[in-house]
Amino acid sequence: MSAGTAASTPAPSAQVLSPRARRLAADYLRRILSARVYDVAVESPLQPARSLSRRLANPVLLKREDRQSVFSFKLRGAYNKMAQLAPEHLQRGVICASAGNHAQGVALAAKRLGCRAVIVMPETTPRVKVDAVQALGGEVVLHGDSYSDAFQHACALQQAQGLSFVHPFDDPDVIAGQGTVAAEILRQHQGPLDAVFVPIGGGGLVSGIAAYIKAVRPEVRVIGVQTRDSDAMRRSVQAGRRVQLDDVGLFADGTAVKLVGEETFRVARQLVDDFLVVDTDEVCAAIKDVFQDTRSIMEPSGALSVAGVKQYVARHRCRGQTLVAVTSGANMNFDRLRFVAERADFGEQREALFAVTIPEERGAFKRLCELVGARAVTEFNYRISDERAAHVFVGLSISRRDEAERLARQFVRHGFATLDLTDDEMAKEHVRHMVGGRCPLAEGERLFRFVFPERPGALMRFLAKLHPGWNISLFHYRNQGADYGRILVGIQLPAGDEGALREFLQSLAYPHVEETDNPVYRLFLR
């Protein structure tokens, strides 16, 4: 496919580079052209996503870095860095901190170069990545809940054991190794090219790609993509300084970085044209999109760029533009597919959820069903709880997001009070599985939603910290096959315990949201 197959709608142009930015790109171009990566890496294919291209009316090409031997681009930067270490440093060994993909790259490079590799990984790392590192001969040390925690521990081990540190992103040699991805893209596609979409964690991949593209074809836009709960680079560029996040999302673990690198921030700030943020549902839908075109399953971070392409096209309504998405990795924990499949329809805007209130009288439920008509029903939950009104939890298949709004208005016009829950996280994660839980005994209940790393002892840590004088009036936990767990908890506090509650929440250090005022809770559970 070429960009000339359809009339192109104007989209934002690439930024005009300052002399300083041009010098920066030129410096990295020299590093990238001399990078040593092909002892371990292959030139990954640039593959048309035919189905997605038709749907979006824009040619979309996938740069398949998931096709590397470790199923990720990370071996490029790791090997380039290690291949340039002095022999005496290699003999002592190397150490790194990684959420998994960089770890495999370092382990493979160490095996090829014949040196020891100590790999510090967060305890939330998917088992598939831990097993892969160990299979390559890496010595795995599990520590902390995020990359930042693992990094601090790796620094301590480096000093104690005299090892050479191989940073996953904040190193010019690592950045140059990742930049070879862009060299391949421009060699493989020499025709019209409008934008390249790149996932961002610490920023090594986007920095290398942006540096090469801006040095060779500065008119091509480079767009970084992050998740809403791990957008440290976007926030840092907006603030003009590196911003450290208090918490990071655990779903896209490969890009869960609290603080981007100094060098990657310097490069991305000057050379990346724009930053997009996507949510979990959009990422799940993108995983499905890639599967439909390639029959390959991306890890969440590996599908970020595809989610960014879809958002970009919807926002700018562009047609006929040639867009490249770097699919950066495929180290997916198989059990996580359960969650991905469940949430993909929301990301594709193919399922809508509603809370519909109907009078508790004969024929009312039938009238509601008549309004639904022939539309596919994904969920109907109802339990009698009041003599005058019934609250029904309804899931319906839709083809576009605005259908949910139209359906809600239709229900209201026919006398049924309706709440659109399609974007309500608590409704999607918990309440749909708990409808009918009202109880008059739950007086004074406070409701909280927690996210915690799914590992042995995490649940008991939560329960052990609860004050013995507090009553748990509601508790919902559902294993979703992911590397994090979610709990919905109702707590009845004695008078005067508000301060103790604040101390409990602070000491627990798990991300949490109070949902006591959530209208879904008040309709179905209060």
Side-chain angles (χ1 to χ4, degrees):
M1 292 182 174
S2 73
T5 57
S8 180
T9 300
S13 301
Q15 61 180 330
V16 177
L17 298 182
S18 66
R20 181 182 177 189
R22 287 197 296 271
R23 288 195 298 272
L24 176 62
D27 288 343
Y28 265 102
L29 176 63
R30 287 189 288 271
R31 286 180 175 270
I32 294 167
L33 290 175
S34 61
R36 292 179 58 186
V37 300
Y38 295 108
D39 289 346
V40 292
V42 298
E43 182 171 309
S44 60
L46 187 64
Q47 177 180 346
R50 302 189 189 282
S51 177
L52 185 62
S53 297
R54 285 193 299 270
R55 281 171 46 205
L56 298 182
N58 292 270
V60 178
L61 305 172
L62 305 178
K63 179 58 173 168
R64 297 291 305 279
E65 281 300 289
D66 58 287
R67 298 282 294 272
Q68 298 292 346
S69 61
V70 295
F71 308 103
S72 164
F73 72 95
K74 284 286 192 176
L75 78 173
R76 295 175 183 262
Y79 188 82
N80 188 50
K81 170 67 177 178
M82 293 170 62
Q84 299 186 53
L85 290 175
E88 59 270 23
H89 292 161
L90 276 179
Q91 188 174 13
R92 284 197 296 268
V94 299
I95 188 170
C96 75
S98 169
N101 290 340
H102 177 64
Q104 293 179 65
V106 170
L108 177 63
K111 185 177 181 179
R112 180 65 182 260
L113 295 168
C115 70
R116 178 191 179 205
V118 178
I119 317 293
V120 185
M121 307 176 80
E123 295 183 30
T124 54
T125 303
R127 187 72 238 175
V128 64
K129 296 184 181 180
V130 175
D131 292 343
V133 171
Q134 292 175 331
L136 290 167
E139 301 174 24
V140 175
V141 177
L142 297 177
H143 183 86
D145 293 336
S146 69
Y147 163 75
S148 299
D149 298 330
F151 174 77
Q152 295 298 326
H153 190 60
C155 290
L157 292 178
Q158 177 203 9
Q159 294 295 322
Q161 301 183 28
L163 304 171
S164 294
F165 197 88
V166 183
H167 202 285
F169 50 82
D170 202 25
D171 184 294
D173 290 330
V174 172
I175 293 170
Q178 320 303 27
T180 59
V181 174
E184 292 175 11
I185 291 172
L186 297 190
R187 184 166 60 248
Q188 292 166 322
H189 182 84
Q190 298 181 21
L193 179 58
D194 293 278
V196 177
F197 295 77
V198 188
I200 298 181
L205 180 61
V206 77
S207 294
I209 287 177
Y212 189 90
I213 288 177
K214 293 305 177 182
V216 178
R217 291 188 61 180
E219 79 281 3
V220 176
R221 300 192 83 211
V222 178
I223 300 174
V225 188
Q226 298 183 283
T227 56
R228 294 190 188 280
D229 49 11
S230 298
D231 61 339
M233 183 65 82
R234 182 181 70 95
R235 294 194 195 187
S236 297
V237 171
Q238 288 178 344
R241 58 179 176 79
R242 290 195 301 158
V243 173
Q244 181 163 338
L245 305 181
D246 294 330
D247 295 298
V248 290
L250 301 177
F251 178 62
D253 56 280
T255 50
V257 175
K258 293 181 179 179
L259 181 66
V260 300
E262 291 184 17
E263 179 65 4
T264 57
F265 171 66
R266 182 175 80 96
V267 176
R269 184 183 184 186
Q270 296 183 67
L271 301 180
V272 177
D273 292 285
D274 198 6
F275 300 89
L276 300 177
V277 291
V278 297
D279 61 27
T280 296
D281 292 348
E282 290 175 291
V283 175
C284 290
I287 293 172
K288 184 177 179 180
D289 290 322
V290 177
F291 175 78
Q292 289 176 329
D293 264 313
T294 67
R295 296 301 184 266
S296 298
I297 298 174
M298 297 299 109
E299 63 183 272
S301 297
L304 279 180
S305 57
V306 176
V309 167
K310 294 169 67 178
Q311 186 185 112
Y312 178 87
V313 170
R315 178 179 299 176
H316 298 294
R317 299 183 179 181
C318 52
R319 296 177 64 86
Q321 301 218 351
T322 301
L323 309 172
V324 170
V326 179
T327 55
S328 59
N331 288 296
M332 168 69 92
N333 186 332
F334 183 80
D335 291 339
R336 188 182 287 186
L337 294 177
R338 194 178 349 170
F339 176 81
V340 171
E342 185 176 285
R343 297 295 286 267
D345 279 348
F346 288 110
E348 292 182 326
Q349 301 177 348
R350 292 183 179 176
E351 184 179 14
L353 297 180
F354 305 96
V356 183
T357 300
I358 64 176
E360 190 63 80
E361 63 186 26
R362 291 180 183 274
F365 189 72
K366 182 179 179 182
R367 293 201 307 273
L368 175 61
C369 292
E370 288 171 345
L371 289 175
V372 172
R375 190 179 302 274
V377 176
T378 59
E379 193 154 353
F380 249 128
N381 286 309
Y382 158 71
R383 183 181 180 187
I384 190 168
S385 59
D386 186 270
E387 294 180 352
R388 293 166 296 177
H391 303 298
V392 184
F393 192 96
V394 183
L396 299 174
S397 292
I398 58 174
S399 57
R400 324 173 20 160
R401 180 64 183 89
D402 58 5
E403 279 188 64
E405 299 167 8
R406 291 204 311 269
L407 282 165
R409 291 195 298 268
Q410 182 182 5
F411 292 149
V412 171
R413 281 199 307 270
H414 286 80
F416 299 138
T418 301
L419 189 61
D420 185 351
L421 309 179
T422 307
D423 296 320
D424 190 297
E425 196 68 15
M426 190 176 81
K428 290 185 284 188
E429 289 179 1
H430 295 288
V431 176
R432 68 188 304 172
H433 307 292
M434 301 174 63
V435 171
R438 283 187 170 191
C439 180
L441 300 177
E443 186 176 354
E445 183 180 75
R446 299 276 295 277
L447 193 70
F448 294 90
R449 178 161 54 89
F450 293 89
V451 178
F452 65 98
E454 187 71 88
R455 64 183 185 190
L459 188 58
M460 286 306 300
R461 178 189 172 203
F462 174 88
L463 295 174
K465 285 183 174 288
L466 278 175
H467 193 283
W470 298 347
N471 183 54
I472 297 178
S473 53
L474 181 151
F475 195 95
H476 179 248
Y477 162 73
R478 182 170 177 253
N479 189 318
Q480 297 172 312
D483 302 297
Y484 54 94
R486 298 173 184 270
I487 297 177
L488 189 67
V489 184
I491 302 174
Q492 290 176 298
L493 298 175
D497 268 15
E498 190 68 33
L501 174 65
R502 286 195 296 270
E503 291 179 6
F504 162 72
L505 295 173
Q506 186 175 6
S507 66
L508 193 63
Y510 291 155
H512 70 276
V513 176
E514 181 166 5
E515 299 282 13
T516 306
D517 294 325
N518 190 307
V520 186
Y521 166 59
R522 293 181 175 274
L523 282 173
F524 291 105
L525 302 172
R526 187 65 177 263

